[in-house]
Amino acid sequence: MTPLLQVKGVTKRYGARLGCGDVSFDLWPGEVMGIVGESGSGKSTLLSCLAGHLSPDAGEVIFDTRAEGPRDVLTMSEPARRMLGRTDWAFVHQNPRDGLRMGVSAGANVGERLMAVGARHYGQIREQAVDWLGRVEIAADRVDDRPRAFSGGMQQRLQIARNLVTGPRLVFMDEPTGGLDVSVQARLLDLLRGLVREMGLSAIIVTHDLAVVRLLADRLMVMKGGHVVETGLTDQVLDDPQHGYTQLLVSSVLQV
Amino acid sequence: MIELSDVSKSFVLHNQGDAVIPVMAGAALSVAPGECVALVGNSGAGKSTLMRMIYGNYLAGGGAIRVGDVDVARAEPREILRMRREVLGYVSQFLRVVPRVPTLDVVAEPVLAAGGSHAEAEARARDLLARLNVPERLWTLSPTTFSGGEQQRVNIARGFAHLFPAMLLDEPTASLDATNRAVVLALIAEAKARGAAIVGIFHDAEARAQVCDREVDVSGFAPAQAA
């Protein structure tokens, strides 16, 4: 078995400031990795570099493509990378407005991604869109409403449906439950976990919420000042943190 | 099945003056298939620490911890994850679940994770919940709102759902009434009979006498005090 994603020495600088420095890891099929750290620790920069939204100054991001096996996505042609972004990759933004088209209906938001990979039969596209809205618990009678008319939690679930409808193998998530109230968060976590298991997805989740990673992630990477300070099994890093910063992070969580 | 040799552990508190607290040295343990070994010792002697090192959520400082073909002290995260799915079960003292997931799914999950079919997982979950006297009307509800005793029984059902060849039990009979305590002891006896190697912590001396073949006093693994 080969890793789905191999990240080697990814470094991104903003002028003299370091975004993220020399980050390396392997992600295996079916694995969920959490990246935690305070704001400004470089976790979102790293995610953007991996997903091809930013180009790093150094390093390799090797993805095991279906057709050609492992390839460095940073040296791929732009059309090839875009195709990957529409098929095997998905990106769930913290703010659903960044990942949805607010001016078109919920059904069209989901159908658009299907059309981007060649679906043309209107009836089938609509049928699949309704099926996916059901999976993320959006009622079928809301399929023609625009996302503007949805609550924040519904918008986030719609964004997830739009991203997963093409059956991606790797999902990048940037604070997927940020800005949602706790009951909606719980629903979303339950949904994500079910989808990860049923579809065999791999995922990289950036968050500052340690409770979210404990429930969702198999492995954890802790970042500070652009560097990875600790990695390991999620419960090992949270229950027996080795680095001073992780100890501080874990002990700072308020108990409820 | 479970083999520990020369296991040591210290905690380093980086934010409290880099205090180094050695908690264990030279720990050794060997558990054969079909055997149940109780960890004993005073509170704070390191029973839970040792158990967590076997499960891999505490990092061993040194030594070897073999569970089946995996050395937990050195294995990659994904090897430990595979071991936890297939080889080593853990019944903790508290249930930790995703909110909103129905009890039946909570109990069935380990069977699915180990590669079992939906039908098999559900049948196993129904059987265990019924044996542990969890009322059927609760099965479709999330256990997060259940009473302490009910949660503990759901936790035990979940722990025994997959037929693990090795198991860790942390106070499995705590907060249970006599009827359910007997059910749990029967489950442990069945697991032993099918060849599972078990390490447990039991404060309940009677339960310990009933299912455990040996006792290992963890205070023997205390590190030598520096003069």
Side-chain angles (χ1 to χ4, degrees):
Chain A
M1 201 160 74
T2 46
L4 187 64
L5 192 72
Q6 298 171 62
V7 176
K8 296 178 183 172
V10 168
T11 301
K12 174 74 184 171
R13 292 182 178 282
Y14 299 104
R17 269 189 317 112
L18 183 70
C20 61
D22 198 20
V23 178
S24 303
F25 65 88
D26 288 346
L27 186 74
W28 295 81
E31 232 173 24
V32 177
M33 192 171 79
I35 304 177
V36 297
E38 62 202 353
S39 344
S41 60
K43 52 193 197 307
S44 293
T45 295
L46 174 63
L47 195 70
S48 298
C49 286
L50 301 181
H53 298 172
L54 272 177
S55 64
D57 301 319
E60 291 173 49
V61 178
I62 298 164
F63 180 71
D64 186 15
T65 60
R66 284 187 222 229
E68 296 164 51
R71 290 207 38 203
D72 187 352
V73 297
L74 300 176
T75 59
M76 257 184 202
S77 68
E78 187 59 28
R81 193 159 60 222
R82 277 170 183 266
M83 192 60 196
L84 207 55
R86 286 196 299 263
T87 54
D88 270 354
W89 285 13
F91 197 104
V92 177
H93 295 265
Q94 172 173 14
N95 188 334
R97 281 182 289 275
D98 295 335
L100 290 172
R101 288 223 289 139
M102 301 304 282
V104 301
S105 71
N109 262 288
V110 178
E112 189 179 48
R113 219 174 123 106
L114 285 171
M115 289 175 71
V117 292
R120 288 294 176 266
H121 187 284
Y122 177 79
Q124 280 168 8
I125 292 173
R126 191 177 167 92
E127 196 179 301
Q128 243 183 309
V130 170
D131 173 50
W132 263 96
L133 291 179
R135 286 208 226 180
V136 297
E137 303 176 10
I138 294 175
D141 64 357
R142 301 298 301 270
V143 62
D144 294 318
D145 291 351
R146 291 181 187 187
R148 243 192 288 279
F150 287 1
S151 69
M154 279 173 81
Q155 287 179 358
Q156 193 58 295
R157 281 180 274 138
L158 178 61
Q159 192 193 182
I160 288 170
R162 173 181 161 98
N163 269 287
L164 297 187
V165 66
T166 51
R169 290 190 294 152
L170 176 59
V171 186
F172 300 99
M173 299 191 209
D174 191 3
E175 301 274 6
T177 60
L180 300 176
D181 72 53
V182 273
S183 67
V184 179
Q185 266 195 31
R187 241 170 115 151
L188 202 66
L189 286 178
D190 168 24
L191 176 77
L192 285 173
R193 246 171 82 115
L195 292 172
V196 164
R197 196 185 52 214
E198 282 162 29
M199 301 176 68
L201 296 176
S202 300
I204 299 177
I205 300 178
V206 162
T207 180
H208 62 266
D209 189 333
L210 298 182
V212 168
V213 288
R214 192 187 271 279
L215 290 175
L216 277 181
D218 302 311
R219 281 164 58 198
L220 202 56
M221 197 154 92
V222 183
M223 292 187 73
K224 179 174 168 47
H227 292 283
V228 175
V229 297
E230 184 164 357
T231 62
L233 275 176
T234 301
D235 57 3
Q236 184 257 301
V237 174
L238 295 180
D239 294 343
D240 187 17
Q242 305 294 309
H243 189 275
Y245 176 68
T246 319
Q247 292 183 350
L248 188 67
L249 201 67
V250 171
S251 63
S252 305
V253 175
L254 299 174
Q255 300 286 324
V256 286
Chain B
M1 188 66 211
I2 302 176
E3 292 276 347
L4 278 69
S5 59
D6 200 24
V7 173
S8 60
K9 168 83 188 157
S10 19
F11 290 106
V12 182
L13 308 178
H14 292 287
N15 301 301
Q16 294 174 48
D18 287 327
V20 178
I21 305 173
V23 291
M24 200 169 283
L29 182 69
S30 169
V31 188
E35 197 181 22
C36 178
V37 173
L39 301 180
V40 295
N42 293 332
S43 193
K47 302 186 290 292
S48 297
T49 298
L50 189 62
M51 199 173 250
R52 287 178 188 154
M53 282 196 282
I54 301 174
Y55 197 59
N57 57 333
Y58 275 15
L59 208 61
I65 302 175
R66 301 212 140 267
V67 178
D69 56 358
V70 177
D71 180 358
V72 182
R74 254 169 288 275
E76 290 286 312
R78 64 191 189 94
E79 295 177 89
I80 297 181
L81 290 168
R82 187 184 59 81
M83 173 195 83
R84 289 181 183 179
R85 275 195 306 271
E86 297 167 7
V87 181
L88 182 67
Y90 181 34
V91 178
S92 61
Q93 284 193 63
F94 302 101
L95 184 67
R96 189 166 352 224
V97 293
V98 179
R100 254 176 38 106
V101 178
T103 298
L104 207 53
D105 294 352
V106 167
V107 177
E109 196 193 6
V111 182
L112 295 174
S117 69
H118 274 276
E120 190 186 335
E122 198 187 316
R124 183 81 185 137
R126 287 181 170 277
D127 176 45
L128 282 164
L129 287 169
R131 278 187 72 183
L132 286 156
N133 304 302
V134 178
E136 192 165 350
R137 66 194 153 77
L138 299 182
W139 294 0
T140 53
L141 307 176
S142 162
T144 41
T145 55
F146 290 5
S147 75
E150 282 164 351
Q151 288 199 9
Q152 178 60 356
R153 281 179 276 150
V154 171
N155 199 22
I156 288 165
R158 178 181 162 87
F160 281 89
H162 175 59
L163 304 176
F164 287 106
M167 294 186 82
L168 302 173
L169 309 175
D170 194 352
E171 294 274 13
T173 55
S175 73
L176 294 181
D177 57 38
T179 320
N180 288 308
R181 183 170 159 276
V183 176
V184 173
L185 294 178
L187 284 172
I188 297 173
E190 284 167 27
K192 283 173 66 182
R194 64 170 172 77
I198 301 175
V199 175
I201 300 174
F202 301 86
H203 279 132
D204 176 352
E206 230 178 277
R208 192 163 67 216
Q210 211 176 316
V211 293
C212 295
D213 304 297
R214 271 188 300 137
E215 291 183 3
V216 170
D217 190 345
V218 177
S219 32
F221 306 143
Q225 296 292 322

